[in-house]
Amino acid sequence: MMTNKVALLSARDMRRSILAGFINAASVVCGIIPFFYIVTMLDLLAQKQPLAAILPQCGIIALLLVAKAVFYGLGLAVTHRLAFSTLADIRGRLIDHMERLSLAGMEKRKSGELAHIVNHEVEQVELFLAHALPELLIASIIPVAIIGFMYTVFQPFAFIYAVQIPLLVLYTMWYMKDYAPKFDEYYQRTSRMSSDLMEYIAGIRVIKVCNTGKGKTRQLLEQMRDYIVWVKRVTRLIILPRFVQSFIIACGMFLIAVVGTEYLLDNVIQFKTFVIGIIFAGFFGESLSKLLVYTFRVMKFNASRKAILSVLTIPPRTWQETEVPVTGGDIQFSAVSFTYEDKSVLENISFTVRKNTMAALVGISGSGKTTIGKLINGFLLPDAGTVTINGIATTALPEAAIARLVSYVQQDAFLFNTSVYENILIGNPDATEKEVYKAARQAQIHNFIQSLPDGYNTQVGEGGSRLSGGERQRIALARMILKDAPIIILDEATSSLDSQNEQAVEEAIAAAGAGKTRIVITHRLDTVSHADKIIVVDKGCIIDQGLHGELLTRCRHYNQMVAARYAADHWTVREKQPC
Ligand SMILES: Nc1ncnc2c1ncn2[C@@H]1O[C@H](COP(=O)(O)OP(=O)(O)OP(=O)(O)O)[C@@H](O)[C@H]1O
Ligand SMILES: [Mg+2]
């Protein structure tokens, strides 16, 4: 099992980032030292020294400024190259890992949450590597360099600089103790706010259509207002510490000015040393302030790191790499229970579907039919009991084998944003053009595709949005026919079709399904009355199973469903009689 030993950044990445930090620090040092030479130059000018004495100072300043620019460019190139390659690497690792996770593991995480981690949290790593880490290094190196330099120029000044560091470290450690848990809460609230916003934007059409826009918008605005009030309250918590930190830094500069003036008046130091002490106190204070700002960025990075690792440490599914026959289609559920998070959906269900037979799963909405379908095709794994295909538990079957054994046409047929042809070909990438057309013909969609402006090359739009629900379903059916798996699961697969098309597609499915195990999930009981087995699901339990005739005589729940279906199919609209 993988544990939290998984490292987000490799030792190489860290080394490169530190190297980039040193290059950047060299650039900053080359930008600071000229001030020393400028002051020396001014001093020489004040002493009316000849130009020949001043020129070397000018040369050194010019050289240092060129070096500063070179190091700056080099640092920028190294940090950004490193940051973007790490960004791509982490995204790649996440996607690669998600692919190796069981579908069941993925199914239990919100897709919005995963998208947020892959997009937003990974960006934070780039910000950390390209900006925060080098800046932190610079902000740590500069004060040490200044103290060291000042030690050679005038030791009391070096001592005044140095004394600020333990004071600031101790104070920061003390207030961080209370601030860290608040930061975790800040981070969670911010993530929630961002996913609520994403959900609102994604669902804006539904909100408008349902005319609940004002209510939803008001709700979202209230959430945002609450969030802002909370953030303001938390930010107030750092105002005092920031003030104290700035006060300590300002005291350092003030001390240099006062003590320096004393020494200057007593002729202990030259004016030049006094000015250098003051200028460097400014750089020193600025670096310390940056150091404090970037500790916050480090906390932010840590939170993102945890979120990314929460995905990377989900143990991937493992199975023995044995050859599994991908023919035959016996399915068996033995005392299977399944729970979504804390909601128990299936309890102790057992049934068998023999190969080459047709079973229908019927039951009211929410009874657990789709969940049973997802347990067969490995989207979900049982919490208790076993689901077997041809006698092998789905937990032991490689996902690729399940994929070859089972075709699943879902309630909402999902199409990729590519051509109609590519969407059908997904069923069997090795299929010939002829086979694709044949599958489309069987699914009653060939003529429609040919009537499109670009025929089979027509792009279907995001999720198939340029097609109607019925067209999407028929393309998904064509994909399934092309795949030619021994088990097919049709989950309300014809629910978006009008009755004329439905009948044609039903016939096509019957033809394509011959010699296969068929599991049909439907509300339309008339279409499954001829099934070899009808399984009646209610509130996550199987309350009966048998032939249509048998169930009619003994299962009250089934009878009620048949009666309700009959009433729904035979309802009429009476015209209002004139008074
Ligand atoms: N990802 C999920 N997380 C939590 N609960 C879920 C999830 N998916 C389904 N459920 C719940 O599990 C129960 C069974 O859902 P399922 O989709 O299996 O029902 P169904 O019989 O297929 O219904 P329908 O006929 O409406 O399609 C429902 O109460 C549903 O709310
Ligand atoms: Mg369903």
Side-chain angles (χ1 to χ4, degrees):
M1 182 167 156
M2 289 173 92
T3 62
N4 51 8
K5 274 186 192 146
V6 175
L8 187 61
L9 301 172
S10 65
R12 194 165 140 259
D13 288 340
M14 289 301 286
R15 271 201 306 274
R16 278 163 67 187
S17 181
I18 290 168
L19 170 75
F22 276 107
I23 297 173
N24 284 325
S27 152
V28 177
V29 169
C30 289
I32 293 177
I33 299 175
F35 285 93
F36 172 78
Y37 287 99
I38 290 169
V39 175
T40 314
M41 213 171 78
L42 290 175
D43 191 42
L44 292 173
L45 278 173
Q47 291 171 28
K48 303 227 179 329
Q49 294 286 329
L51 193 63
I54 295 166
L55 272 180
Q57 320 288 325
C58 294
I60 293 171
I61 291 171
L63 271 177
L64 282 167
L65 291 179
V66 170
K68 174 190 154 112
V70 171
F71 282 131
Y72 179 74
L74 200 66
L76 214 62
V78 174
T79 43
H80 280 83
R81 250 186 79 189
L82 165 72
F84 284 110
S85 70
T86 313
L87 194 96
D89 175 56
I90 294 176
R91 284 216 171 108
R93 273 171 68 193
L94 273 171
I95 290 165
D96 190 46
H97 189 75
M98 285 197 276
E99 203 186 69
R100 287 191 296 126
L101 288 182
S102 65
L103 286 163
M106 303 278 291
E107 192 80 1
K108 289 198 174 182
R109 296 279 297 243
K110 275 161 92 186
S111 58
E113 186 195 343
L114 291 173
H116 180 78
I117 291 175
V118 175
N119 280 320
H120 176 79
E121 306 296 11
V122 178
E123 295 283 334
Q124 300 308 310
V125 178
E126 191 267 328
L127 288 179
F128 175 75
L129 282 179
H131 305 280
L133 191 56
E135 289 287 349
L136 257 175
L137 270 168
I138 295 171
S140 326
I141 292 169
I142 299 301
V144 177
I146 289 179
I147 292 173
F149 172 74
M150 203 37 90
Y151 188 79
T152 62
V153 176
F154 186 55
Q155 288 177 5
F157 281 175
F159 176 75
I160 296 173
Y161 292 156
V163 99
Q164 295 171 59
I165 294 179
L167 281 178
L168 279 169
V169 168
L170 287 175
Y171 179 71
T172 308
M173 277 166 66
W174 176 74
Y175 92 78
M176 276 298 199
K177 187 169 52 62
D178 295 333
Y179 189 69
K182 282 269 175 286
F183 180 82
D184 280 345
E185 196 182 342
Y186 162 80
Y187 177 79
Q188 276 158 17
R189 282 182 181 243
T190 309
S191 302
R192 215 177 308 139
M193 192 70 244
S194 126
S195 68
D196 284 350
L197 265 171
M198 272 160 78
E199 189 188 68
Y200 177 83
I201 293 162
I204 193 111
R205 281 188 214 141
V206 180
I207 291 168
K208 276 181 177 291
V209 169
C210 299
N211 206 16
T212 54
K214 283 203 179 94
K216 273 273 170 206
T217 311
R218 206 179 311 118
Q219 198 185 340
L220 185 79
L221 286 175
E222 265 165 28
Q223 266 170 270
M224 284 175 72
R225 231 168 271 136
D226 284 351
Y227 169 76
I228 290 164
V229 169
W230 187 86
V231 169
K232 273 189 185 162
R233 221 178 31 234
V234 173
T235 3
R236 245 179 264 141
L237 286 178
I238 57 167
I239 292 176
L240 182 68
R242 275 283 154 82
F243 170 77
V244 175
Q245 287 166 341
S246 305
F247 183 72
I248 295 173
I249 293 167
C251 279
M253 292 169 77
F254 181 71
L255 258 179
I256 293 277
V258 172
V259 174
T261 312
E262 281 280 315
Y263 283 124
L264 186 67
L265 292 177
D266 293 347
N267 284 329
V268 179
I269 53 170
Q270 294 177 337
F271 184 69
K272 181 179 90 171
T273 313
F274 174 69
V275 175
I276 289 169
I278 296 280
I279 291 176
F280 278 39
F283 286 125
F284 187 81
E286 198 188 307
S287 290
L288 288 186
S289 304
K290 273 194 181 166
L291 202 60
L292 298 168
V293 169
Y294 282 104
T295 30
F296 180 71
R297 297 271 171 87
V298 173
M299 288 172 81
K300 221 169 166 179
F301 164 74
N302 254 331
S304 299
R305 198 179 123 265
K306 274 191 213 157
I308 297 170
L309 287 179
S310 76
V311 177
L312 287 178
T313 49
I314 302 174
R317 235 189 98 190
T318 51
W319 50 76
Q320 281 188 326
E321 280 306 330
T322 46
E323 272 299 307
V324 177
V326 286
T327 51
D330 277 325
I331 297 164
Q332 184 160 19
F333 273 57
S334 311
V336 170
S337 297
F338 182 80
T339 304
Y340 281 113
E341 282 156 21
D342 51 2
K343 182 178 176 184
S344 167
V345 175
L346 296 177
E347 261 177 63
N348 198 24
I349 64 165
S350 300
F351 66 84
T352 310
V353 180
R354 289 260 156 266
K355 70 175 177 193
N356 305 344
T357 62
M358 172 182 171
L361 284 173
V362 299
I364 59 164
S365 181
S367 53
K369 305 180 296 293
T370 296
T371 308
I372 294 176
K374 287 181 176 177
L375 280 161
I376 299 172
N377 83 337
F379 267 29
L380 303 173
L381 297 175
D383 294 325
T386 48
V387 178
T388 62
I389 301 178
N390 298 327
I392 307 172
T394 49
T395 44
L397 272 170
E399 264 167 15
I402 301 187
R404 267 180 285 149
L405 279 162
V406 186
S407 270
Y408 188 5
V409 182
Q410 284 180 293
Q411 273 171 308
D412 304 314
F414 180 82
L415 299 189
F416 290 92
N417 189 5
T418 173
S419 67
V420 175
Y421 188 87
E422 293 285 337
N423 265 293
I424 300 177
L425 196 69
I426 290 168
N428 175 11
D430 299 327
T432 63
E433 221 172 88
K434 238 170 145 184
E435 286 166 333
V436 171
Y437 295 158
K438 189 175 161 206
R441 256 188 226 106
Q442 273 188 294
Q444 309 287 322
I445 190 74
H446 177 74
N447 291 344
F448 164 77
I449 299 172
Q450 286 210 311
S451 73
L452 291 170
D454 288 326
Y456 275 85
N457 291 325
T458 307
Q459 300 292 310
V460 301
E462 202 180 321
S465 58
R466 288 192 204 140
L467 301 173
S468 77
E471 288 152 7
R472 276 203 299 273
Q473 271 194 335
R474 277 180 289 166
I475 290 175
L477 284 168
R479 186 192 280 169
M480 177 208 83
I481 292 168
L482 192 67
K483 187 171 162 186
D484 196 25
I487 300 169
I488 55 179
I489 305 172
L490 301 162
D491 190 348
E492 304 286 353
T494 55
S495 59
S496 301
L497 304 180
D498 54 62
S499 50
Q500 204 181 343
N501 267 313
E502 188 184 4
Q503 203 183 344
V505 172
E506 293 285 354
E507 282 164 21
I509 292 174
K516 295 185 192 303
T517 309
R518 277 161 291 151
I519 309 253
V520 181
I521 300 172
T522 185
H523 286 106
R524 307 195 66 102
L525 300 183
D526 48 331
T527 60
V528 291
S529 55
H530 60 287
D532 300 301
K533 184 182 267 185
I534 297 174
I535 301 165
V536 187
V537 189
D538 189 37
K539 298 191 191 96
C541 297
I542 290 180
I543 54 169
D544 209 339
Q545 45 186 314
L547 291 168
H548 175 69
E550 292 167 1
L551 294 175
L552 275 183
T553 53
R554 66 168 188 240
C555 180
R556 209 156 65 98
H557 190 74
Y558 186 72
N559 263 303
Q560 280 168 351
M561 279 195 300
V562 172
R565 189 71 241 168
Y566 182 84
D569 284 346
H570 292 83
W571 63 276
T572 50
V573 180
R574 287 214 195 103
E575 235 177 276
K576 201 175 169 192
Q577 296 298 315
C579 304

